[in-house]
Amino acid sequence: MPELRKSLKLANVCYDIRGPVLDHANLLEEEGQRIIKLNIGNPGAFGFDAPDEIMHDVIHNLREAQGYCHSKGLFSARKAVMQRAQSQGIANVAIEDVIMGNGVSELIVMAMQALLNNADEILIPSPDYPLWTAAVSMAGGTPCHYRCDEDNDWQPDVADIERRITPNTRGIVVINPNNPTGAVYSEETLKQIVAVAEKYNLVVFADEIYDRILYDGREHVCFLNYESLRDRLILLNGWSKTYAMTGWRLGYSVWPAHLVEPVTRLAINCHSCVNAATQFAGIEALNGPQKRVDHMVEAFTNRRHIIQQELNQIPGFRCIEPGGAFYAFPNIEGTGLSAAELQNKLLNEAGVATIAGTSFGSYGEGYLRFSYANSEENIRLAAKRIKEVL
Ligand code: PLP
């Protein structure tokens, strides 16, 4: 029988974080090896549980969560999002502008489906969280990668962004704090991006899922603060990372008022509604005590310090200290190996799963991503094994 044909759009749909590296790591585990998995940012799986208050609220509300809810999400959940914005001094978010999703992942795909026509171009950071490139391709668009510069603390190269703009360019994706680099963008960079978006009439897609995971007193500036951008901004955030709720699947988006109605129609078609039980968790997470978030960030602060120190002791590695999120993205050019060669060597010979920088786009050659949403013990052991192998 002839093989079924798949869509050509799938060519750009990659996700190595859970792809071949993980499959191979699982295979090695089945053979009895102990693999240290620093390939994925999944805090819930490594000792960061969602707080008890959140569990309690979900259990308590489970009976109320059995039917479909509004496709934009529960009114009370959207209100909690608005109130969170207000508590940050952001007054321009109305409950009506908020659309919930089953994770930021779903909202990224929806945002691209909603905005793109065939051959529209979207500027995406490189290195990039791969879902953005995939979502643009699946929507019939063309991903165009702009450079983020290691020598400038991995800030986006705004001149490079501007150079890549064509008559087909529709928007710019900004991931801040960044995965995979851990960079937190300066206000100066953000202002330059706002100016470019206004000058060329572009949409800004702001992925701020790591906005609360910041180190050394760094501050995150939410794009909603730029009033002039509000009508061309799609803001995405969620609970996965801040509240260690990756498995619960909950995210939110804030839209320009004129797009809310068509995107609501899209949302109905995409998901019918968002997991209702999880939204009760989301409300409690936003409104309840935030000390757990602080404790988690404290724990990450230590781990970040340990991983950076350890990686810098490995011959051929050079690692700048990440300002946010929970990824280290060392330069590994000094090892003389390509990113993929080193990734495979570390998995096969050291039993450490990492992700080659090239999994985050072509600028990622010469880098390796480590997630330190893992135990201190595992981070130290991984570094020890890598040193032995190299
Ligand atoms: N955006 C970025 C930058 C991420 O790193 C991730 C997950 O790793 C997501 C979005 C997806 O988040 P969610 O779990 O809400 O789907």
Side-chain angles (χ1 to χ4, degrees), residues 50-138:
D52 287 347
E53 309 88 73
I54 294 180
M55 297 283 183
H56 179 261
D57 264 51
V58 172
I59 294 165
H60 184 75
N61 286 297
L62 215 43
R63 280 193 191 284
E64 312 302 320
Q66 298 181 82
Y68 287 128
C69 65
H70 196 290
S71 56
K72 283 168 74 174
L74 294 173
F75 179 84
S76 44
R78 290 184 287 125
K79 185 171 175 189
V81 169
M82 179 194 73
Q83 287 170 333
R84 165 149 199 250
Q86 286 172 346
S87 73
Q88 293 174 290
I90 297 167
N92 60 11
V93 176
I95 298 175
E96 283 314 305
D97 305 337
V98 178
I99 299 180
M100 312 290 288
N102 295 298
V104 170
S105 305
E106 182 188 50
L107 293 164
I108 291 174
V109 175
M110 268 171 50
M112 289 306 163
Q113 295 292 338
L115 267 291
L116 295 197
N117 286 318
N118 286 344
D120 280 351
E121 293 173 7
I122 296 292
L123 291 156
I124 300 181
S126 188
D128 160 42
Y129 178 63
L131 176 53
W132 281 104
T133 300
V136 170
S137 305
M138 285 191 290

Coordinates of all heavy atoms in Angstrom, one line a residue, residues 50-138:
A50 N 3.1 21.8 43.1 CA 2.1 22.9 43.2 C 1.7 23.0 44.7 O 1.5 21.9 45.3 CB 0.9 22.6 42.3
P51 N 1.5 24.2 45.2 CA 1.2 24.4 46.6 C -0.1 23.7 47.0 O -1.0 23.5 46.2 CB 1.0 25.9 46.7 CG 1.7 26.5 45.6 CD 1.7 25.5 44.5
D52 N -0.2 23.2 48.3 CA -1.4 22.5 48.8 C -2.7 23.3 48.6 O -3.8 22.8 48.3 CB -1.2 22.2 50.3 CG -0.2 21.1 50.5 OD1 0.1 20.5 49.5 OD2 0.2 20.9 51.6
E53 N -2.6 24.7 48.8 CA -3.9 25.5 48.7 C -4.4 25.3 47.3 O -5.7 25.3 47.1 CB -3.6 27.0 48.8 CG -2.8 27.4 50.0 CD -1.3 27.4 49.8 OE1 -0.8 28.2 49.1 OE2 -0.7 26.5 50.4
I54 N -3.6 25.2 46.3 CA -4.0 25.0 44.9 C -4.8 23.7 44.7 O -5.8 23.6 44.2 CB -2.8 25.2 43.9 CG1 -2.3 26.6 44.0 CG2 -3.3 24.8 42.5 CD1 -1.1 26.8 43.1
M55 N -4.1 22.6 45.3 CA -4.7 21.3 45.2 C -6.1 21.3 45.9 O -7.1 20.8 45.3 CB -3.9 20.3 46.0 CG -2.5 20.1 45.5 SD -2.6 19.0 44.0 CE -0.9 18.9 43.7
H56 N -6.2 22.0 47.0 CA -7.4 22.0 47.8 C -8.5 22.7 47.0 O -9.7 22.2 46.9 CB -7.2 22.8 49.1 CG -8.4 22.9 49.9 ND1 -9.2 24.0 49.9 CD2 -9.0 22.0 50.7 CE1 -10.2 23.8 50.7 NE2 -10.1 22.6 51.2
D57 N -8.2 23.8 46.3 CA -9.2 24.5 45.5 C -9.7 23.7 44.4 O -10.9 23.7 44.0 CB -8.7 25.8 45.0 CG -9.0 27.0 45.9 OD1 -8.8 26.8 47.2 OD2 -9.6 28.0 45.5
V58 N -8.8 23.0 43.7 CA -9.3 22.1 42.6 C -10.2 21.0 43.1 O -11.3 20.8 42.5 CB -8.0 21.5 41.9 CG1 -8.5 20.5 40.9 CG2 -7.2 22.6 41.3
I59 N -9.8 20.4 44.2 CA -10.6 19.3 44.7 C -12.0 19.8 45.1 O -13.0 19.3 44.7 CB -9.9 18.6 45.9 CG1 -8.6 17.9 45.4 CG2 -10.8 17.6 46.6 CD1 -7.7 17.5 46.5
H60 N -12.0 20.9 45.8 CA -13.2 21.5 46.3 C -14.2 21.9 45.1 O -15.4 21.8 45.2 CB -12.9 22.8 47.1 CG -14.1 23.4 47.7 ND1 -14.7 22.9 48.8 CD2 -14.7 24.6 47.4 CE1 -15.7 23.7 49.1 NE2 -15.8 24.7 48.3
N61 N -13.6 22.3 44.0 CA -14.4 22.8 42.9 C -14.7 21.8 41.8 O -15.3 22.1 40.8 CB -13.8 24.0 42.3 CG -13.9 25.3 43.1 OD1 -15.0 25.7 43.4 ND2 -12.8 25.8 43.6
L62 N -14.2 20.6 42.0 CA -14.2 19.6 40.9 C -15.7 19.4 40.4 O -15.9 19.3 39.2 CB -13.7 18.3 41.4 CG -12.9 17.4 40.4 CD1 -11.9 18.3 39.6 CD2 -12.1 16.4 41.2
R63 N -16.6 19.3 41.3 CA -18.0 19.1 40.8 C -18.5 20.2 39.9 O -19.3 20.0 39.0 CB -19.0 19.0 42.1 CG -18.9 17.7 42.7 CD -20.0 17.4 43.7 NE -19.7 16.2 44.4 CZ -19.9 15.0 43.9 NH1 -20.3 14.8 42.7 NH2 -19.6 13.9 44.6
E64 N -18.0 21.4 40.2 CA -18.4 22.6 39.3 C -17.7 22.6 38.0 O -18.0 23.4 37.1 CB -18.1 23.9 40.0 CG -18.5 24.0 41.5 CD -20.0 23.8 41.7 OE1 -20.7 24.3 40.8 OE2 -20.4 23.1 42.6
A65 N -16.8 21.7 37.8 CA -15.9 21.8 36.7 C -16.2 20.7 35.6 O -15.4 20.4 34.8 CB -14.5 21.7 37.1
Q66 N -17.4 20.1 35.7 CA -17.7 19.0 34.8 C -18.2 19.3 33.4 O -18.0 18.6 32.5 CB -18.6 18.0 35.5 CG -18.1 17.5 36.8 CD -19.0 16.6 37.5 OE1 -19.1 15.4 37.2 NE2 -19.8 17.1 38.4
G67 N -18.9 20.5 33.3 CA -19.4 20.8 32.0 C -18.4 21.7 31.2 O -17.4 22.1 31.8
Y68 N -18.8 22.0 30.0 CA -18.0 23.0 29.2 C -18.1 24.3 30.0 O -19.2 24.7 30.4 CB -18.6 23.2 27.8 CG -18.4 22.1 26.8 CD1 -19.5 21.6 26.1 CD2 -17.1 21.6 26.5 CE1 -19.3 20.6 25.2 CE2 -16.9 20.7 25.5 CZ -18.0 20.2 24.9 OH -17.9 19.2 23.9
C69 N -17.0 25.1 30.0 CA -17.1 26.5 30.4 C -17.0 27.4 29.2 O -16.9 26.9 28.1 CB -16.1 26.8 31.5 SG -14.4 26.7 30.9
H70 N -17.0 28.6 29.4 CA -16.9 29.6 28.3 C -15.6 29.3 27.5 O -14.5 29.0 28.2 CB -16.9 31.0 28.8 CG -17.2 32.0 27.7 ND1 -16.2 32.3 26.7 CD2 -18.2 32.8 27.4 CE1 -16.7 33.2 25.9 NE2 -18.0 33.5 26.3
S71 N -15.6 29.4 26.2 CA -14.4 29.1 25.5 C -13.2 30.0 25.7 O -12.1 29.7 25.5 CB -14.7 29.0 24.0 OG -15.2 30.3 23.6
K72 N -13.5 31.2 26.2 CA -12.5 32.1 26.6 C -11.9 31.8 28.0 O -10.9 32.4 28.4 CB -13.0 33.6 26.6 CG -13.2 34.2 25.2 CD -14.0 35.5 25.3 CE -13.2 36.6 25.8 NZ -14.0 37.9 25.7
G73 N -12.6 31.0 28.7 CA -12.2 30.6 30.1 C -13.2 31.1 31.1 O -14.1 31.9 30.8
L74 N -13.1 30.7 32.3 CA -14.0 31.1 33.4 C -13.8 32.6 33.6 O -12.7 33.1 33.6 CB -13.6 30.4 34.7 CG -13.8 28.9 34.8 CD1 -13.2 28.4 36.1 CD2 -15.3 28.5 34.7
F75 N -15.0 33.3 33.8 CA -14.9 34.7 34.1 C -14.0 35.0 35.3 O -13.1 35.9 35.3 CB -16.3 35.2 34.5 CG -16.4 36.6 34.8 CD1 -16.5 37.6 33.8 CD2 -16.4 37.1 36.1 CE1 -16.6 38.9 34.1 CE2 -16.5 38.4 36.4 CZ -16.6 39.3 35.4
S76 N -14.1 34.1 36.4 CA -13.3 34.4 37.6 C -11.8 34.2 37.3 O -10.9 34.9 37.9 CB -13.7 33.5 38.7 OG -13.9 32.2 38.3
A77 N -11.5 33.3 36.4 CA -10.0 33.1 36.1 C -9.5 34.3 35.3 O -8.4 34.8 35.5 CB -9.9 31.8 35.3
R78 N -10.3 34.7 34.3 CA -9.9 35.9 33.5 C -9.8 37.2 34.4 O -9.0 38.0 34.2 CB -10.9 36.1 32.3 CG -10.7 35.0 31.3 CD -11.5 35.1 30.1 NE -12.9 34.9 30.3 CZ -13.9 35.7 30.0 NH1 -13.6 36.9 29.5 NH2 -15.1 35.4 30.3
K79 N -10.7 37.2 35.4 CA -10.7 38.3 36.3 C -9.4 38.3 37.1 O -8.7 39.3 37.4 CB -11.9 38.3 37.2 CG -12.0 39.5 38.1 CD -13.3 39.5 38.9 CE -13.4 40.6 39.9 NZ -14.5 40.6 40.7
A80 N -9.0 37.1 37.5 CA -7.7 37.0 38.3 C -6.5 37.4 37.5 O -5.6 38.0 38.0 CB -7.6 35.5 38.8
V81 N -6.6 37.1 36.2 CA -5.5 37.6 35.3 C -5.5 39.1 35.3 O -4.4 39.8 35.4 CB -5.7 37.0 33.9 CG1 -4.7 37.7 32.9 CG2 -5.4 35.5 33.9
M82 N -6.7 39.7 35.1 CA -6.8 41.2 35.1 C -6.2 41.8 36.4 O -5.5 42.7 36.4 CB -8.2 41.6 34.9 CG -8.4 43.1 34.8 SD -10.1 43.6 35.0 CE -10.4 43.3 36.7
Q83 N -6.6 41.2 37.5 CA -6.2 41.7 38.8 C -4.7 41.6 39.0 O -4.1 42.4 39.6 CB -7.0 41.0 39.9 CG -8.4 41.4 40.0 CD -9.3 40.6 40.9 OE1 -9.0 39.4 41.2 NE2 -10.3 41.2 41.5
R84 N -4.1 40.5 38.5 CA -2.7 40.4 38.6 C -2.0 41.5 37.8 O -1.1 42.1 38.3 CB -2.2 39.0 38.0 CG -0.7 39.1 37.8 CD 0.1 37.9 37.9 NE 1.4 38.4 38.1 CZ 2.4 38.3 37.2 NH1 2.2 37.7 36.1 NH2 3.6 38.8 37.5
A85 N -2.6 41.8 36.6 CA -2.0 42.9 35.8 C -2.1 44.2 36.6 O -1.2 45.0 36.7 CB -2.7 43.0 34.5
Q86 N -3.3 44.4 37.2 CA -3.5 45.6 38.0 C -2.5 45.7 39.2 O -2.0 46.8 39.5 CB -4.9 45.7 38.5 CG -5.9 46.0 37.5 CD -7.4 45.9 37.9 OE1 -7.7 45.3 39.0 NE2 -8.3 46.4 37.1
S87 N -2.2 44.6 39.8 CA -1.3 44.6 40.9 C 0.1 45.0 40.5 O 0.9 45.4 41.3 CB -1.3 43.3 41.7 OG -0.7 42.3 40.9
Q88 N 0.4 44.8 39.2 CA 1.7 45.2 38.7 C 1.6 46.6 38.1 O 2.6 47.1 37.4 CB 2.1 44.3 37.5 CG 2.3 42.9 37.9 CD 2.5 42.1 36.6 OE1 1.6 41.8 35.8 NE2 3.8 41.7 36.3
G89 N 0.5 47.3 38.4 CA 0.4 48.7 37.9 C 0.0 48.8 36.4 O 0.1 49.8 35.8
I90 N -0.5 47.7 35.9 CA -1.0 47.7 34.5 C -2.5 47.8 34.4 O -3.2 46.8 34.8 CB -0.5 46.4 33.7 CG1 1.0 46.3 33.7 CG2 -1.1 46.3 32.3 CD1 1.6 45.0 33.3
A91 N -3.0 48.9 33.9 CA -4.4 49.2 34.1 C -5.2 48.9 32.8 O -6.4 49.0 32.7 CB -4.6 50.6 34.5
N92 N -4.4 48.5 31.7 CA -5.1 48.5 30.4 C -5.6 47.1 30.0 O -5.7 46.8 28.8 CB -4.2 49.1 29.3 CG -2.9 48.3 29.2 OD1 -2.7 47.2 29.8 ND2 -1.9 48.9 28.5
V93 N -5.7 46.2 31.0 CA -6.2 44.8 30.6 C -7.7 44.7 31.1 O -7.9 44.7 32.3 CB -5.3 43.7 31.3 CG1 -5.9 42.3 31.0 CG2 -3.9 43.8 30.8
A94 N -8.6 44.5 30.2 CA -10.0 44.3 30.6 C -10.2 42.8 30.7 O -9.6 42.0 29.9 CB -10.9 44.9 29.6
I95 N -11.2 42.3 31.5 CA -11.5 40.9 31.6 C -11.8 40.4 30.2 O -11.4 39.3 29.8 CB -12.7 40.7 32.5 CG1 -12.4 41.1 33.9 CG2 -13.1 39.2 32.5 CD1 -13.5 41.1 34.9
E96 N -12.5 41.2 29.4 CA -12.9 40.8 28.0 C -11.7 40.5 27.1 O -11.9 39.7 26.1 CB -13.8 41.9 27.4 CG -15.2 41.9 27.9 CD -15.8 40.5 28.0 OE1 -15.8 39.8 26.9 OE2 -16.2 40.0 29.1
D97 N -10.6 41.1 27.4 CA -9.4 40.9 26.5 C -8.7 39.7 26.8 O -7.7 39.3 26.1 CB -8.5 42.1 26.7 CG -9.1 43.5 26.4 OD1 -10.2 43.5 25.8 OD2 -8.6 44.5 27.0
V98 N -9.0 38.9 27.8 CA -8.2 37.8 28.3 C -8.8 36.5 27.7 O -10.0 36.3 27.8 CB -8.2 37.7 29.8 CG1 -7.4 36.5 30.3 CG2 -7.6 39.0 30.4
I99 N -8.0 35.7 27.1 CA -8.4 34.4 26.6 C -7.5 33.3 27.2 O -6.3 33.4 27.0 CB -8.4 34.3 25.0 CG1 -9.4 35.4 24.5 CG2 -8.8 33.0 24.5 CD1 -9.5 35.5 22.9
M100 N -8.2 32.4 27.9 CA -7.4 31.3 28.5 C -7.1 30.2 27.5 O -7.8 30.1 26.5 CB -8.2 30.7 29.7 CG -8.8 31.7 30.6 SD -7.6 32.6 31.6 CE -7.1 31.3 32.7
G101 N -6.0 29.4 27.8 CA -5.7 28.3 26.9 C -5.2 27.1 27.7 O -4.9 27.3 28.9
N102 N -5.2 26.0 27.0 CA -4.7 24.8 27.7 C -3.2 24.8 27.6 O -2.6 24.1 26.8 CB -5.3 23.5 27.1 CG -6.8 23.4 27.3 OD1 -7.2 23.3 28.4 ND2 -7.5 23.5 26.2
G103 N -2.6 25.7 28.3 CA -1.1 25.9 28.3 C -0.8 27.0 27.3 O -1.6 27.3 26.4
V104 N 0.3 27.6 27.4 CA 0.8 28.7 26.5 C 1.0 28.0 25.1 O 0.7 28.7 24.1 CB 2.1 29.4 27.0 CG1 2.7 30.3 25.9 CG2 1.8 30.2 28.2
S105 N 1.4 26.8 25.1 CA 1.6 26.1 23.8 C 0.4 26.2 22.9 O 0.5 26.6 21.7 CB 1.9 24.6 24.0 OG 2.9 24.4 24.9
E106 N -0.8 25.9 23.4 CA -2.0 26.0 22.6 C -2.2 27.5 22.1 O -2.6 27.7 21.0 CB -3.2 25.6 23.4 CG -4.5 25.6 22.6 CD -5.7 25.3 23.4 OE1 -5.9 25.9 24.4 OE2 -6.5 24.4 22.9
L107 N -1.9 28.4 23.0 CA -2.2 29.8 22.6 C -1.2 30.3 21.6 O -1.5 31.2 20.7 CB -2.1 30.7 23.9 CG -3.2 30.4 24.9 CD1 -2.9 31.0 26.3 CD2 -4.6 31.0 24.4
I108 N 0.0 29.8 21.6 CA 1.0 30.1 20.5 C 0.4 29.7 19.2 O 0.4 30.4 18.2 CB 2.4 29.5 20.8 CG1 3.0 30.1 22.1 CG2 3.3 29.6 19.6 CD1 4.3 29.5 22.5
V109 N 0.0 28.4 19.1 CA -0.6 27.9 17.9 C -1.8 28.7 17.4 O -1.9 29.1 16.3 CB -0.9 26.4 18.0 CG1 -1.6 25.9 16.7 CG2 0.4 25.6 18.3
M110 N -2.7 29.0 18.4 CA -3.9 29.8 18.1 C -3.5 31.2 17.6 O -4.1 31.7 16.6 CB -4.7 29.9 19.3 CG -5.8 28.9 19.4 SD -6.6 28.8 21.0 CE -7.1 30.5 21.2
A111 N -2.5 31.8 18.2 CA -2.1 33.2 17.8 C -1.7 33.2 16.4 O -2.0 34.1 15.6 CB -1.0 33.7 18.8
M112 N -0.9 32.2 16.0 CA -0.4 32.2 14.6 C -1.6 31.9 13.6 O -1.7 32.5 12.6 CB 0.7 31.2 14.5 CG 2.0 31.6 15.1 SD 2.5 33.3 14.5 CE 3.6 33.8 15.8
Q113 N -2.4 31.0 14.0 CA -3.6 30.7 13.1 C -4.4 31.9 13.0 O -5.0 32.2 11.9 CB -4.4 29.5 13.7 CG -3.7 28.2 13.9 CD -3.4 27.6 12.5 OE1 -4.1 27.9 11.5 NE2 -2.5 26.7 12.4
A114 N -4.5 32.7 14.0 CA -5.4 33.9 14.0 C -4.9 35.0 13.1 O -5.6 35.8 12.5 CB -5.7 34.3 15.4
L115 N -3.6 35.1 13.1 CA -3.0 36.3 12.5 C -2.4 36.1 11.1 O -2.2 37.1 10.4 CB -1.8 36.8 13.4 CG -2.2 37.9 14.5 CD1 -2.5 39.2 13.8 CD2 -3.3 37.5 15.4
L116 N -2.0 34.9 10.8 CA -1.2 34.7 9.6 C -2.0 34.3 8.3 O -2.9 33.5 8.4 CB -0.1 33.7 9.8 CG 1.0 34.0 10.8 CD1 2.1 33.1 10.6 CD2 1.4 35.5 10.7
N117 N -1.7 35.0 7.2 CA -2.1 34.5 5.9 C -0.8 33.8 5.3 O 0.3 34.0 5.8 CB -2.5 35.6 5.0 CG -3.9 36.1 5.4 OD1 -4.8 35.3 5.7 ND2 -4.0 37.4 5.5
N118 N -1.1 32.9 4.3 CA 0.0 32.2 3.6 C 1.1 33.2 3.2 O 0.8 34.3 2.7 CB -0.5 31.5 2.4 CG -1.3 30.2 2.8 OD1 -1.2 29.8 4.0 ND2 -2.0 29.7 1.9
A119 N 2.4 32.8 3.5 CA 3.6 33.5 3.1 C 3.8 34.8 4.0 O 4.8 35.5 3.7 CB 3.6 33.9 1.6
D120 N 3.0 35.0 5.0 CA 3.4 36.1 5.9 C 4.6 35.7 6.7 O 4.8 34.5 7.0 CB 2.2 36.3 6.9 CG 1.1 37.1 6.4 OD1 1.2 37.7 5.3 OD2 0.0 37.2 7.1
E121 N 5.5 36.7 6.9 CA 6.7 36.4 7.6 C 6.7 36.8 9.1 O 6.1 37.9 9.4 CB 7.9 37.1 6.9 CG 8.1 36.5 5.5 CD 9.1 37.3 4.7 OE1 9.8 38.2 5.3 OE2 9.3 37.0 3.5
I122 N 7.2 36.0 9.9 CA 7.3 36.3 11.4 C 8.7 36.2 11.8 O 9.4 35.3 11.6 CB 6.4 35.3 12.2 CG1 4.9 35.4 11.8 CG2 6.6 35.6 13.7 CD1 4.3 36.8 12.2
L123 N 9.2 37.3 12.5 CA 10.5 37.3 13.0 C 10.6 36.6 14.4 O 9.8 36.9 15.3 CB 11.0 38.8 13.2 CG 11.2 39.5 11.8 CD1 11.0 41.0 12.0 CD2 12.5 39.1 11.3
I124 N 11.4 35.7 14.4 CA 11.5 34.8 15.6 C 12.9 34.8 16.1 O 13.9 34.8 15.4 CB 11.1 33.3 15.2 CG1 9.7 33.3 14.7 CG2 11.3 32.4 16.4 CD1 9.2 32.0 14.3
P125 N 13.1 34.8 17.5 CA 14.5 34.9 18.0 C 15.2 33.6 17.7 O 14.6 32.5 17.6 CB 14.3 35.0 19.5 CG 12.9 34.5 19.8 CD 12.1 34.8 18.6
S126 N 16.5 33.7 17.5 CA 17.3 32.5 17.3 C 18.5 32.7 18.3 O 19.1 33.8 18.1 CB 17.8 32.3 15.9 OG 18.4 31.1 15.8
P127 N 18.8 31.8 19.2 CA 18.1 30.6 19.5 C 16.6 30.9 19.8 O 16.3 31.9 20.4 CB 18.8 30.0 20.6 CG 20.0 30.8 20.9 CD 19.9 32.1 20.1
D128 N 15.8 29.9 19.5 CA 14.3 30.0 19.7 C 13.7 28.8 20.4 O 14.2 27.7 20.3 CB 13.7 30.0 18.3 CG 12.2 29.7 18.2 OD1 11.5 30.2 19.1 OD2 11.8 29.0 17.3
Y129 N 12.7 29.1 21.2 CA 11.9 28.0 21.8 C 11.1 27.4 20.5 O 10.3 28.1 19.9 CB 10.9 28.5 22.8 CG 10.0 27.4 23.4 CD1 10.5 26.3 24.0 CD2 8.6 27.4 23.2 CE1 9.7 25.3 24.5 CE2 7.8 26.4 23.6 CZ 8.4 25.4 24.3 OH 7.6 24.3 24.7
P130 N 11.4 26.1 20.2 CA 11.0 25.7 18.8 C 9.5 25.7 18.5 O 9.2 25.7 17.3 CB 11.5 24.2 18.8 CG 12.0 23.9 20.2 CD 12.1 25.1 21.0
L131 N 8.7 25.8 19.4 CA 7.2 25.8 19.1 C 6.9 27.0 18.3 O 6.0 27.0 17.4 CB 6.4 25.7 20.4 CG 4.9 25.9 20.2 CD1 4.3 24.8 19.2 CD2 4.2 25.7 21.5
W132 N 7.6 28.1 18.5 CA 7.2 29.3 17.7 C 7.5 29.1 16.2 O 6.6 29.5 15.4 CB 8.0 30.5 18.3 CG 7.4 31.1 19.5 CD1 7.9 31.0 20.8 CD2 6.2 31.9 19.6 NE1 7.1 31.6 21.7 CE2 6.1 32.2 21.0 CE3 5.3 32.4 18.7 CZ2 5.0 33.0 21.5 CZ3 4.3 33.2 19.2 CH2 4.1 33.5 20.5
T133 N 8.6 28.6 15.9 CA 8.9 28.3 14.5 C 7.9 27.3 13.9 O 7.4 27.5 12.8 CB 10.3 27.7 14.4 OG1 11.3 28.7 14.9 CG2 10.7 27.4 13.0
A134 N 7.6 26.3 14.7 CA 6.6 25.3 14.2 C 5.2 25.9 14.0 O 4.6 25.7 13.0 CB 6.5 24.2 15.3
A135 N 4.8 26.8 14.9 CA 3.5 27.3 14.9 C 3.3 28.2 13.6 O 2.3 28.3 13.0 CB 3.1 28.1 16.1
V136 N 4.4 29.0 13.3 CA 4.4 29.9 12.2 C 4.2 29.0 10.9 O 3.4 29.3 10.0 CB 5.7 30.7 12.1 CG1 5.8 31.5 10.8 CG2 5.7 31.7 13.3
S137 N 5.0 27.9 10.8 CA 5.0 27.1 9.7 C 3.6 26.4 9.5 O 3.1 26.4 8.4 CB 6.1 26.0 9.8 OG 7.3 26.6 10.0
M138 N 3.1 25.9 10.6 CA 1.8 25.3 10.5 C 0.7 26.2 10.1 O -0.3 25.8 9.5 CB 1.4 24.6 11.9 CG 2.2 23.4 12.1 SD 1.6 22.4 13.5 CE 2.1 23.5 14.9

